[in-house]
Amino acid sequence: MKTVGIIAEYNPFHNGHLYHITEAKRLTNADYAVVIMSGNFVQRGTPAILDKYSRTKMALSCGADLVFELPVQYATATAELFAHGAVSLLNSLGFVDYLCFGSEHTTLSDYQKLAQLLEKPPWKFQELLKHFQKQNDSYPVARSKALHAFYAKEQDMDILSFLSKPNTILGIAYIQALLRLSSNIIPVTLKRTDKGYHSTELDHSIASASGIRKAYQEQKSLSSLSDYIPDAAFSILKKQEKKTFPLEMNDFSSLLYYRLNSNPPKERYTDISVDFWNRIYKSYSYCTSFSQLCDTIKCKNLVYSSVCRNLLHILLDTSAPDKKDIPGYLRLLGLRKEASWLLKSKRQASNRPSVPIITKVADAQKILSAKEYGLFEEDIRASHLYYHICHEKFGYCAKSEYQQSPIVL
């Protein structure tokens, strides 16, 4: 019996995700696919366009067997911390054999080469990185330039082109996390068949999530998306329209303004610089929306996604996790009945989950440490805020997290 792990957001679930699950199982000869999925807020620093339970049901309807939630601290963090949290959870399960990720570049040795260097950076690379950071480049740009300079004499790899793709960055971060954890999980790459993570074109049956979100925002019509979303997932999306779909960052604008106007404690947000705070307070009073504030604050050394994440952390009152920590629990969002035996306590100790699995929110405080329960409470607060906005926007009353059970198909 083999199991493949997938890390995803499904924002929303589309044909490319169906292809990923199907091909991941085929390439690894896996019997089961386990997904670690972002909850109601995602890595780009925005709310998910559709609630996590609907996205879970989409995934289970299209080939996933178990879906767990990535805690909001990690789901809204940098690529490195996002990957660290998700890979840690897969590793904690004890029975995951492979991690399959999609990317434009599929030569695994290139990922491993850069991951090993970044995990244990030599002195020369560190000096190059400092040099480029002093030029006020953002960290991702400075890192790309430093790697390019470090490997300047090697002709077998175009570093700048390689690092220009978001999925490549995540792929390196996944392998770094596997190295850091000394994990036995085997990484596998899968060639992306769309035009890329940021592409907004809908001229192929497999389109990016960005393109699908953009198309809906422009046309306000679900029918225009039906060719790009599997039938099983599309019926769920259609059912949730004007209930928990679509939510956008600007739906949270008033709440963000309130948080900023309440003088939030700066010391809580250790990843937010003094310069960033100064830019916020010069701008927020005359910006009328979340997105306008992000556009106003961004600059050469503060990329748009980083600005969004920092503002979202303030809104949700959560901070970036420590790279030395790993999530101390698994929150089960849903499963297929035939995969339930994977979670049974009678499994051998060597492939049994090493952290508690939360299936009922009310039980969490009894089985988690105070520190882990504090992290879990952040997930609950974030979800309740998300559902409050659903009610404010659509008049829809979603279940409380204390009433919601895992999705079972």
Side-chain angles (χ1 to χ4, degrees):
M1 187 277 295
K2 297 291 184 183
T3 303
V4 61
I6 293 172
I7 298 167
E9 291 184 326
Y10 298 149
N11 188 32
F13 194 97
H14 56 67
N15 290 344
H17 296 133
L18 172 61
Y19 174 81
H20 185 187
I21 294 173
T22 303
E23 284 297 290
K25 285 183 171 181
R26 185 187 68 81
L27 285 172
T28 61
N29 198 29
D31 304 281
Y32 300 98
V34 178
V35 177
I36 305 297
M37 189 187 78
S38 299
N40 285 330
F41 295 89
V42 296
Q43 206 258 336
R44 63 178 59 233
T46 66
I49 197 169
L50 176 68
D51 74 281
K52 63 186 179 183
Y53 293 107
S54 297
R55 286 158 39 233
T56 295
K57 192 171 183 179
M58 287 175 162
L60 295 173
S61 299
C62 294
D65 298 287
L66 293 167
V67 180
F68 296 94
E69 180 176 2
L70 180 62
V72 68
Q73 268 198 358
Y74 294 91
T76 60
T78 62
E80 184 179 5
L81 290 170
F82 173 93
H84 177 71
V87 172
S88 296
L89 290 178
L90 286 175
N91 196 59
S92 295
L93 280 167
F95 54 75
V96 176
D97 302 288
Y98 303 96
L99 165 59
C100 183
F101 59 91
S103 184
E104 297 81 2
H105 187 93
T106 57
T107 304
L108 189 61
S109 59
D110 290 341
Y111 290 94
Q112 293 168 327
K113 174 181 177 180
L114 295 183
Q116 288 167 355
L117 182 140
L118 291 171
E119 194 57 24
K120 293 183 178 180
W123 175 85
K124 180 183 176 182
F125 173 76
Q126 294 182 58
E127 290 300 306
L128 287 167
L129 182 60
K130 289 177 184 177
H131 168 73
F132 289 113
Q133 285 183 301
K134 287 178 181 177
Q135 297 180 1
N136 281 330
D137 285 325
S138 65
Y139 178 77
V141 171
R143 187 177 71 168
S144 295
K145 289 181 177 179
L147 285 168
H148 180 69
F150 186 83
Y151 288 113
K153 294 181 180 179
E154 297 190 21
Q155 304 297 321
D156 62 333
M157 185 178 176
D158 184 345
I159 296 291
L160 293 179
S161 175
F162 182 72
L163 295 175
S164 67
K165 307 294 192 296
N167 287 282
T168 299
I169 301 295
L170 272 174
I172 294 170
Y174 292 148
I175 295 178
Q176 277 185 262
L178 291 171
L179 291 171
R180 193 178 306 129
L181 295 163
S182 300
S183 176
N184 292 322
I185 295 174
I186 300 169
V188 177
T189 60
L190 174 66
K191 180 73 174 176
R192 283 185 69 106
T193 56
D194 62 8
K195 292 191 174 182
Y197 181 81
H198 291 305
S199 173
T200 56
E201 298 179 24
L202 295 183
D203 58 357
H204 191 277
S205 65
I206 295 182
S208 71
S210 297
I212 291 171
R213 291 193 300 271
K214 183 174 184 288
Y216 185 83
Q217 288 163 0
E218 291 176 349
Q219 301 179 38
K220 307 298 182 186
S221 169
L222 270 183
S223 60
S224 64
L225 308 181
S226 60
D227 290 341
Y228 311 102
I229 299 175
D231 290 343
F234 187 77
S235 65
I236 295 167
L237 187 65
K238 188 173 182 180
K239 182 179 178 181
Q240 293 305 119
E241 189 177 25
K242 301 292 190 294
K243 293 180 179 177
T244 60
F245 170 82
L247 246 60
E248 303 169 356
M249 67 189 308
N250 286 340
D251 295 325
F252 292 77
S253 298
S254 294
L255 286 175
L256 177 61
Y257 178 86
Y258 173 78
R259 282 286 296 155
L260 295 174
N261 201 45
S262 300
N263 193 27
K266 298 179 181 63
E267 63 276 6
R268 172 163 169 73
Y269 310 101
T270 54
D271 55 325
I272 300 181
S273 67
V274 173
D275 176 60
F276 190 91
W277 282 109
N278 290 337
R279 295 179 73 85
I280 288 175
Y281 286 115
K282 285 179 181 177
S283 309
Y284 88 94
S285 61
Y286 64 81
C287 289
T288 59
S289 68
F290 199 135
S291 60
Q292 186 187 11
L293 182 58
C294 292
D295 282 324
T296 303
I297 293 175
K298 71 177 183 180
C299 58
K300 184 180 179 183
N301 64 346
L302 280 172
V303 298
Y304 186 81
S305 58
S306 295
V307 172
C308 292
R309 283 194 293 269
N310 285 347
L311 290 176
L312 187 61
H313 290 168
I314 296 168
L315 172 65
L316 298 178
D317 193 28
T318 185
S319 58
D322 192 316
K323 189 168 70 171
K324 297 177 183 177
D325 293 335
I326 62 172
Y329 60 88
L330 287 149
R331 171 80 189 281
L332 181 66
L333 293 178
L335 77 163
R336 297 191 67 85
K337 290 179 182 177
E338 55 267 30
S340 62
W341 73 275
L342 289 167
L343 305 179
K344 301 296 185 183
S345 60
K346 293 181 181 179
R347 292 173 60 84
Q348 294 180 359
S350 61
N351 60 3
R352 190 185 303 161
S354 61
V355 298
I357 296 177
I358 308 297
T359 58
K360 189 176 180 182
V361 171
D363 293 339
Q365 192 167 13
K366 304 173 189 175
I367 59 179
L368 298 180
S369 68
K371 180 180 178 180
E372 297 302 342
Y373 185 66
L375 177 62
F376 184 71
E377 282 190 307
E378 290 185 3
D379 295 340
I380 302 304
R381 287 198 303 270
S383 286
H384 285 166
L385 182 62
Y386 185 94
Y387 297 128
H388 171 75
I389 296 299
C390 289
H391 182 265
E392 187 177 76
K393 185 174 183 179
F394 303 121
Y396 177 74
C397 292
K399 287 182 179 180
S400 159
E401 287 286 79
Y402 291 92
Q403 300 169 315
Q404 179 69 55
S405 299
I407 304 296
V408 179
L409 293 187

